[in-house]
Amino acid sequence: MGSPRSKVEVKGFEAKYYDFLMDILTFGAYKKTMEKAIELMGISENDKILDLGSGTGRNACIMRKYIKDQGEIVGLDISDIMIEKSKKRCRNYDNVRFEKARIEEELPYREYFDKAFISFVLHGFEQEDREKILKNIHFALKPKGELFILDYTHAHPREVQGIYKIFLTKLECPLAYEFVILDQEAFLKEFGFSNFSYNYFFYKRVNLLKAIKN
């Protein structure tokens, strides 16, 4: 069961029209950001990719353009509506599949994937559940596998002020603010990741953080 402080589990109307709502709220920038972030992942045709919190499957379909028929994508999501939309969207791709799963609970994968991708999901979990998710990802990745986190950029509390702080604490969930002020590199190092690199979006409020499994 998810935390009452979290908004990461999208349901009802929001789930049904998620892509449309995100495009409207970002004036069309969301789709372009996802496309650019996935381009920066350096996906090769043989890559096996784990997409955690795969949503409507739009990201998986973008990644499919890079793996073509050779690689494999597995998307995990807890929402029945999202899984249904994902399967419909990617129905023509035999090497893309979606499974209903809570990503903070133990997953069956062991050193299977070359890359893991988690987009605007990690900030919506309690810290103890973030730790469980990182353990799952570490188990699932091959040695030297790559983790990509697209989410809010780390900032010191004094840098999170004004409208941005109102957005994080009032419009987002309280967990988002806690995630932003979290030392994300130290957190990832604790769970077996290093060699960090960044690409920034939305005036550096969002970043694609790349980390390598030790």
Side-chain angles (χ1 to χ4, degrees):
M1 188 69 180
S3 165
R5 299 201 299 155
S6 174
K7 295 181 182 179
V8 76
E9 291 185 27
V10 182
K11 302 176 182 177
F13 177 87
E14 188 178 353
K16 188 175 181 180
Y17 297 102
Y18 183 81
D19 288 336
F20 174 75
L21 292 171
M22 291 303 297
D23 288 339
I24 292 297
L25 290 171
T26 62
F27 301 99
Y30 184 76
K31 183 174 184 292
K32 294 177 182 177
T33 298
M34 300 310 305
E35 290 173 341
K36 183 60 179 178
I38 289 169
E39 177 188 346
L40 290 167
M41 289 172 63
I43 297 171
S44 67
E45 292 185 7
N46 293 317
D47 276 341
K48 292 182 174 66
I49 304 171
L50 180 63
D51 184 5
L52 298 105
S54 51
T56 65
R58 178 155 69 172
N59 298 337
C61 284
I62 297 171
M63 287 187 264
R64 172 59 174 69
K65 296 176 183 178
Y66 294 92
I67 66 166
K68 300 180 181 179
D69 294 323
Q70 281 67 50
E72 180 182 357
I73 297 168
V74 177
L76 306 178
D77 205 281
I78 192 57
S79 167
D80 289 321
I81 294 176
M82 294 297 201
I83 293 291
E84 181 182 352
K85 291 175 76 70
S86 298
K87 289 181 176 180
K88 183 177 180 180
R89 171 172 264 150
C90 298
R91 62 187 178 276
N92 294 325
Y93 306 136
D94 292 336
N95 56 343
V96 180
R97 73 177 192 273
F98 299 93
E99 301 172 359
K100 183 176 180 179
R102 299 199 68 91
I103 62 173
E104 75 275 26
E105 295 181 356
E106 185 175 355
L107 300 176
Y109 309 108
R110 294 293 182 270
E111 297 191 351
Y112 183 78
F113 295 97
D114 301 284
K115 291 177 169 63
F117 181 66
I118 183 166
S119 169
F120 292 104
V121 170
L122 203 57
H123 74 261
F125 283 90
E126 297 283 359
Q127 184 62 12
E128 62 181 343
D129 287 330
R130 293 183 194 131
E131 294 173 0
K132 295 173 184 176
I133 292 167
L134 262 293
K135 287 180 181 178
N136 280 337
I137 293 172
H138 194 272
F139 282 137
L141 285 172
K142 297 176 182 177
K144 304 301 180 182
E146 299 171 333
L147 167 60
F148 295 88
I149 302 172
L150 183 65
D151 217 316
Y152 298 115
T153 303
H154 166 65
H156 190 276
R158 65 172 175 266
E159 299 174 309
V160 185
Q161 301 296 332
I163 293 175
Y164 186 44
K165 187 171 185 178
I166 293 171
F167 167 76
L168 289 174
T169 57
K170 303 299 183 183
L171 298 180
E172 264 284 4
C173 60
L175 299 168
Y177 175 74
E178 295 173 14
F179 178 78
V180 167
I181 63 173
L182 174 71
D183 186 337
Q184 296 172 20
E185 286 196 7
F187 173 51
L188 290 170
K189 285 179 180 177
E190 185 178 348
F191 290 92
F193 293 92
S194 60
N195 298 320
F196 306 106
S197 61
Y198 298 85
N199 286 279
Y200 295 97
F201 305 90
F202 295 108
Y203 305 99
K204 293 192 174 182
R205 297 299 191 190
V206 169
N207 74 88
L208 179 68
L209 189 166
K210 176 183 176 181
I212 308 297
K213 175 178 173 177
N214 293 337

